[in-house]
Amino acid sequence: VDNSNVGFSIFPNPATTEIKIVHASLSNYKTEIFNAIGENILRTENEHIIDISILSPGVYFIKVDNEIRKFIKK
């Protein structure tokens, strides 16, 4: 079985202060967080735990490499 394209998951979801990324590749990935209208509000590289405490409550999208997931900030 080829697991090279498994992608990533995030938890907890919904979250209040931080999200944790579980990524198939443990190195060399870029993360971007977008708000509901598509504005890029955060960029990181190789971060497994991202502080989201400064974000307003709402729906956000996180892009890791070329995959996108939705998460909710409480």
Side-chain angles (χ1 to χ4, degrees), residues 39-50:
E39 295 172 325
N40 187 311
I41 55 175
L42 183 69
R43 286 189 177 119
T44 67
E45 288 190 29
N46 304 320
E47 294 282 333
H48 296 288
I49 298 174
I50 299 175

Side-chain angles (χ1 to χ4, degrees), residues 46-63:
N46 304 320
E47 294 282 333
H48 296 288
I49 298 174
I50 299 175
D51 180 1
I52 61 165
S53 61
I54 63 166
L55 300 181
S56 299
V59 175
Y60 293 88
F61 296 90
I62 183 166
K63 180 179 178 184

Side-chain angles (χ1 to χ4, degrees), residues 21-74:
I21 298 172
V22 178
H23 192 268
S25 168
L26 295 178
S27 62
N28 299 324
Y29 62 91
K30 294 180 182 177
T31 303
E32 296 176 278
I33 294 179
F34 299 89
N35 63 16
I37 61 171
E39 295 172 325
N40 187 311
I41 55 175
L42 183 69
R43 286 189 177 119
T44 67
E45 288 190 29
N46 304 320
E47 294 282 333
H48 296 288
I49 298 174
I50 299 175
D51 180 1
I52 61 165
S53 61
I54 63 166
L55 300 181
S56 299
V59 175
Y60 293 88
F61 296 90
I62 183 166
K63 180 179 178 184
V64 176
D65 292 334
N66 291 316
E67 290 190 48
I68 298 173
R69 304 279 187 274
K70 179 174 77 172
F71 73 93
I72 297 169
K73 163 68 163 76
K74 292 198 288 183

